[in-house]
Amino acid sequence: MALLSPKSPLFWFLVAHVTLIEAAGRQKRRTDLTGDNLGPDSFSSHYEPLDNTVTLRSRRNHHAETPGLEPGDAAAAFRVSTLDGEFVYPAGGGGARGSLIIHAFTNKSGFLESMWSSDASLSGLVQDLPDSAQVLFLSQDDSAVSDALWMREQLHRAAVHRKKEVLSRLHFSPVPVFALGNWIPSVLYSWSCTGHNCGLSQAVFTCQGWNMPVIVKRLDARYDWLMGRWGQRSYRLVDAGDGCDPSPSVAGAVAWVSEGRCSFFTKVQSMAKSNASGVLVYALPGNSLQDMNCVGEECSSPLGVPAAMVHLEPSVAQALRFEQLVNVSFQNTPSPNFFIGIDQQGALAEMGWFLYPTFRFINWQAQWFEFYADLQTRLRSPAQVVSVFDKVQMQGDRGAVATVDLPLGLLDLDSLELDASLSCPGRRDLSCAHWDHTVQLFVCCDHFSTYCNTELGRWITAFRRGTGRWLTDVSPLLPLLNSGKCTFTMKTVPWAMPWVVSLNLRFTANQTGNGAVKLRPFMVMSLYSGGTFDKNYNKRYQPIKFPVPASTKKVELLAVITGHGSDENGCGEFCVTSHHFLINGVFNNTRIFDSAGTALGCAMRVKEGAVPNEHGTWLYGRGGWCDGLQVNPWTIDITRQLDMSGYEANTLVYFGLFDGRDPSPARDPGYITMSSFLVFYK
Ligand SMILES: *[C@@H]1O[C@H](CO)[C@@H](O)[C@H](O)[C@H]1NC(C)=O
Ligand SMILES: *[C@@H]1O[C@H](CO)[C@@H](O)[C@H](O)[C@H]1NC(C)=O
Ligand SMILES: *[C@@H]1O[C@H](CO)[C@@H](O)[C@H](O)[C@H]1NC(C)=O
Ligand SMILES: *[C@@H]1O[C@H](CO)[C@@H](O)[C@H](O)[C@H]1NC(C)=O
Ligand SMILES: *[C@@H]1O[C@H](CO)[C@@H](O)[C@H](O)[C@H]1NC(C)=O
């Protein structure tokens, strides 16, 4: 920890600053420049549950005077003192504006303590923070001065072997949030959230010999490997040593075990085998709370009990040693939000849900801000835009439906992009629909055509986030728009909560510039659709024979394929499937979903527009799709695989494999959703 010497001028500047705040009557305790005022003992005794109530009451009064700022509102200019001078938003001088992340630290949160202590988390930030992003670090507590120094120290240490440029984009303010005097506190206080982005998870210990409960922060184990949840009740607490070996005495109780000797997984597993109702692992003295997770093979055996990490609480340890009855219960106390984003356009934004304690969630949000700024630029380029849906609610069997006139002279336009967005009934993510559902867009232009209600676009909803906007190039499917008036239907499963959709068609004449005549798709031929991914999957597909129409210059294969459901191998969402289009018996055109099931397969696609920091397990790779992203059509030029004479028929057959073999699930087969076409160009 960085200690400021009382001889240093900065020390006196900060003391003077903080004293001024105290004089204004806004602070009850002396700021402790050593930062030790939140030691393991003092947290419980200094803990003031009433603080939150006070905050909420004053917020309500404030609301009566000024309407609160919401996501999407413009962030007003502000300046705050920092350890290195002053941070000014927006930066003067014009030019391209970057994004800003504001983080309000409090050591009352076990989640944040862990996030700030893990080397992987800290180096993740200094290594991967996008170039356009800055971060302003604040503290919510009386200890803001020492917190700012400590945060700076932590990140500078993490950056020792890295590029130093990033440090100039990290700003640390010694002014506590409650003394900022600008709009930031009101947004932090009023933007409610669930999960780890705010709220203080605590363990409450009681014992007959004590006047007061002892309340400490806790960090629950990651939810994706531990299925158990803490109940509302009071549990008996039983000491089980280091918890590495089964211990019959913990049956029906919460096991109190020390960190070390075996993995977190082994502790929880041996306590679960002993029928413990839950596990509290305490950190060894001097250690920080850690993100308790499984490693490798451990992760394939999920455990059914809850577990959390806490600091070693001497009074609890002592009471257990003297065989006094100690009980523990679990609570979550609301707190101000820990994060605010401001995007490149200067709009306030929520930061989503942090699944586990790492700064990578900040990086992902900032990456998405970059994607979104770039998307805005692309949307400003000239195009003939046809609005189909403008903030229309999509729900139920019918979905959203609209009939529109297409521009005249469509034949001269050779590019079609779908500009689609999904937002929520309210302005906060909390109003957004749960779950990741498939959304499909169907088009019908000629009601007598077999192509009436063919799929034109596909997306997957973002789990409880309302910021998704995507541009999908569907130019090869232009022949589906074969009349001047078309009906578009966009829908998802009828039981999904409502989404608010917007959809624009963007037509452009995509000139290559070198004077070459662009080929234009003039005909599509529908091929195969998917189905249940079971042992009969490939028996359904018969070879298709087709001649190439006269004057065709190019033939493309286009497929939109996504895998869903979960058999015992995780198929088709989380297993590696491959899809093969065999042409004339020799050309094996293959699409493999090799990132399905990987830990960060979809997090890697935030740069392409995958909505970051959703609820659920949005980070994992999936079979051809990601939560909160469009499904890009896969195309491959097959002209040279075909007999183009127009006289001979070509043959094509499709088959889909799991791990290179026919699927053969033992239970709950998944399914493949597919639309596929041949596209003829001239
Ligand atoms: C945060 O709290 C823990 C225990 O409650 C303590 O050990 C640690 O020093 C504190 N960190 C800071 C920066 O105050
Ligand atoms: C302590 O926990 C036990 C077991 O859950 C429960 O029966 C008992 O009522 C609790 N005692 C107190 C004082 O909360
Ligand atoms: C755990 O509970 C099960 C079912 O009640 C019982 O069969 C088993 O003996 C218990 N194990 C221990 C170690 O108490
Ligand atoms: C325009 O044409 C280029 C080159 O053929 C292609 O890469 C690009 O995706 C096209 N853009 C659109 C919007 O169709
Ligand atoms: C096509 O390729 C896949 C793997 O790349 C292979 O499993 C399959 O047998 C091939 N099929 C044919 C007919 O060549």
Side-chain angles (χ1 to χ4, degrees):
M1 179 167 313
L3 285 180
L4 255 192
S5 147
K7 292 200 184 96
S8 100
L10 180 59
F11 174 95
W12 290 110
F13 163 75
L14 295 172
V15 169
H17 193 98
V18 171
T19 313
L20 227 127
I21 296 162
E22 283 178 297
R26 299 170 79 167
Q27 190 180 17
K28 293 180 288 311
R29 285 199 300 272
R30 227 193 110 255
T31 294
D32 182 347
L33 279 173
T34 66
D36 287 341
N37 62 337
L38 276 180
D41 289 332
S42 59
F43 182 75
S44 44
S45 52
H46 288 182
Y47 181 69
E48 291 160 282
L50 278 179
D51 272 1
N52 286 296
T53 336
V54 172
T55 306
L56 289 174
R57 196 175 310 125
S58 59
R59 182 187 93 205
R60 219 170 287 132
N61 292 342
H62 176 75
H63 265 200
E65 296 152 19
T66 50
L69 289 164
E70 291 293 331
D73 288 341
F78 68 89
R79 41 181 71 214
V80 295
S81 303
T82 64
L83 294 179
D84 306 303
E86 190 176 45
F87 176 78
V88 180
Y89 179 86
R97 179 144 63 162
S99 63
L100 175 67
I101 312 293
I102 299 172
H103 168 43
F105 172 72
T106 171
N107 202 23
K108 295 184 175 97
S109 158
F111 188 86
L112 292 183
E113 181 194 324
S114 164
M115 187 160 158
W116 275 99
S117 307
S118 140
D119 288 336
S121 165
L122 294 162
S123 59
L125 184 75
V126 294
Q127 220 163 197
D128 297 326
L129 183 71
D131 293 344
S132 63
Q134 309 211 43
V135 189
L136 173 62
F137 297 99
L138 304 168
S139 167
Q140 303 190 23
D141 299 332
D142 291 348
S143 50
V145 174
S146 58
D147 287 347
L149 291 166
W150 179 72
M151 290 189 280
R152 185 173 67 174
E153 170 77 15
Q154 289 294 82
L155 285 169
H156 281 230
R157 196 170 43 76
V160 157
H161 300 295
R162 321 240 183 259
K163 54 170 188 170
K164 295 290 194 295
E165 179 278 331
V166 68
L167 298 176
S168 68
R169 293 185 279 121
L170 309 178
H171 313 275
F172 305 86
S173 176
V175 184
V177 168
F178 57 77
L180 284 173
N182 55 28
W183 56 265
I184 294 174
S186 81
V187 171
L188 289 170
Y189 296 164
S190 69
W191 284 15
S192 61
C193 71
T194 57
H196 303 305
N197 291 21
C198 61
L200 308 175
S201 297
Q202 294 149 348
V204 181
F205 299 97
T206 51
C207 177
Q208 247 167 6
W210 304 345
N211 295 331
M212 295 268 287
V214 172
I215 303 165
V216 303
K217 59 185 163 185
R218 71 171 209 269
L219 175 60
D220 285 340
R222 265 194 217 194
Y223 96 131
D224 53 345
W225 71 279
L226 279 194
M227 301 298 163
R229 286 275 149 282
W230 297 114
Q232 293 291 321
R233 64 196 182 88
S234 183
Y235 300 82
R236 207 159 45 80
L237 188 70
V238 170
D239 190 340
D242 60 20
C244 298
D245 308 303
S247 151
S249 63
V250 300
V254 167
W256 171 254
V257 306
S258 66
E259 177 191 359
R261 194 165 82 87
C262 61
S263 71
F264 291 124
F265 177 86
T266 305
K267 290 177 200 293
V268 179
Q269 189 184 42
S270 69
M271 292 300 103
K273 278 187 183 148
S274 310
N275 293 340
S277 301
V279 185
L280 275 186
V281 180
Y282 58 85
L284 294 175
N287 288 0
S288 306
L289 298 187
Q290 289 172 58
D291 174 28
M292 294 200 288
N293 197 10
C294 50
V295 182
E297 268 306 290
E298 294 175 347
C299 301
S300 46
S301 12
L303 301 169
V305 294
M309 193 159 187
V310 293
H311 283 284
L312 172 57
E313 188 51 48
S315 47
V316 171
Q318 190 177 345
L320 289 173
R321 198 159 49 243
F322 290 110
E323 297 187 344
Q324 288 178 292
L325 218 57
V326 178
N327 268 13
V328 62
S329 60
F330 299 89
Q331 66 183 20
N332 193 279
T333 302
S335 80
N337 211 308
F338 301 150
F339 304 99
I340 305 171
I342 303 177
D343 71 13
Q344 262 87 338
Q345 292 74 41
L348 292 169
E350 289 177 282
M351 293 282 291
W353 201 61
F354 288 33
L355 190 57
Y356 50 90
T358 168
F359 281 112
R360 299 183 80 167
F361 289 90
I362 285 187
N363 296 342
W364 286 318
Q365 183 65 35
Q367 279 176 9
W368 188 84
F369 286 148
E370 281 193 346
F371 158 82
Y372 193 67
D374 181 51
L375 179 66
Q376 298 300 314
T377 308
R378 284 156 69 200
L379 290 173
R380 277 194 297 272
S381 68
Q384 284 213 44
V385 177
V386 176
S387 168
V388 179
F389 303 119
D390 184 14
K391 300 205 172 71
V392 171
Q393 179 161 313
M394 172 182 71
Q395 197 182 20
D397 280 317
R398 193 160 180 271
V401 184
T403 300
V404 299
D405 292 319
L406 297 183
L408 295 169
L410 198 59
L411 283 176
D412 305 328
L413 303 169
D414 55 22
S415 291
L416 168 58
E417 290 169 300
L418 306 175
D419 163 19
S421 66
L422 289 176
S423 56
C424 308
R427 294 183 72 180
R428 307 260 183 97
D429 285 344
L430 223 51
S431 73
C432 296
H434 299 203
W435 300 110
D436 36 0
H437 291 301
T438 305
V439 173
Q440 289 173 290
L441 174 72
F442 301 96
V443 62
C444 179
C445 300
D446 172 357
H447 287 263
F448 301 104
S449 158
T450 51
Y451 290 102
C452 174
N453 283 332
T454 302
E455 186 187 39
L456 186 62
R458 192 185 304 168
W459 300 261
I460 312 291
T461 61
F463 195 138
R464 297 209 86 179
R465 289 213 76 187
T467 53
R469 185 162 183 177
W470 313 273
L471 208 49
T472 315
D473 184 355
V474 294
S475 307
L477 298 178
L478 268 168
L480 293 175
L481 308 188
N482 52 6
S483 115
K485 204 183 234 347
C486 298
T487 299
F488 294 86
T489 305
M490 197 165 179
K491 57 181 170 184
T492 181
V493 289
W495 57 87
M497 291 164 66
W499 285 97
V500 176
V501 305
S502 293
L503 174 69
N504 291 322
L505 309 176
R506 293 177 58 86
F507 295 97
T508 44
N510 188 359
Q511 299 308 330
T512 46
N514 59 7
V517 178
K518 261 303 275 296
L519 295 175
R520 194 176 188 287
F522 70 95
M523 188 178 108
V524 295
M525 180 182 150
S526 187
L527 299 172
Y528 301 99
S529 51
T532 307
F533 198 59
D534 59 10
K535 64 182 185 342
N536 295 320
Y537 183 71
N538 290 316
K539 298 194 180 125
R540 282 192 282 270
Y541 301 107
Q542 301 303 317
I544 292 176
K545 290 190 184 306
F546 62 96
V548 175
S551 73
T552 300
K553 297 269 172 22
K554 176 173 111 173
V555 184
E556 239 173 31
L557 174 69
L558 179 149
V560 180
I561 310 171
T562 51
H564 307 269
S566 180
D567 65 15
E568 76 276 17
N569 299 307
C571 288
E573 181 169 353
F574 290 124
C575 74
V576 176
T577 60
S578 58
H579 303 269
H580 309 273
F581 294 83
L582 191 66
I583 293 181
N584 291 330
V586 282
F587 300 101
N588 195 350
N589 300 286
T590 299
R591 174 100 168 101
I592 306 176
F593 295 139
D594 44 14
S595 75
T598 59
L600 296 175
C602 282
M604 316 277 263
R605 298 190 63 193
V606 170
K607 291 175 180 158
E608 298 166 42
V611 174
N613 306 358
E614 297 170 48
H615 287 237
T617 56
W618 67 276
L619 313 123
Y620 303 160
R622 286 165 160 84
W625 56 278
C626 288
D627 288 14
L629 189 62
Q630 83 273 19
V631 183
N632 279 322
W634 171 65
T635 57
I636 182 162
D637 185 341
I638 55 166
T639 315
R640 306 178 104 195
Q641 306 175 10
L642 300 177
D643 182 317
M644 298 287 285
S645 70
Y647 302 114
E648 296 293 328
N650 295 282
T651 60
L652 180 155
V653 70
Y654 160 82
F655 53 97
L657 305 176
F658 159 57
D659 236 358
R661 293 182 308 275
D662 267 326
S664 159
R667 57 159 182 85
D668 308 327
Y671 59 97
I672 302 295
T673 305
M674 171 161 74
S675 59
S676 55
F677 303 91
L678 290 176
V679 184
F680 301 92
Y681 289 79
K682 66 182 174 192

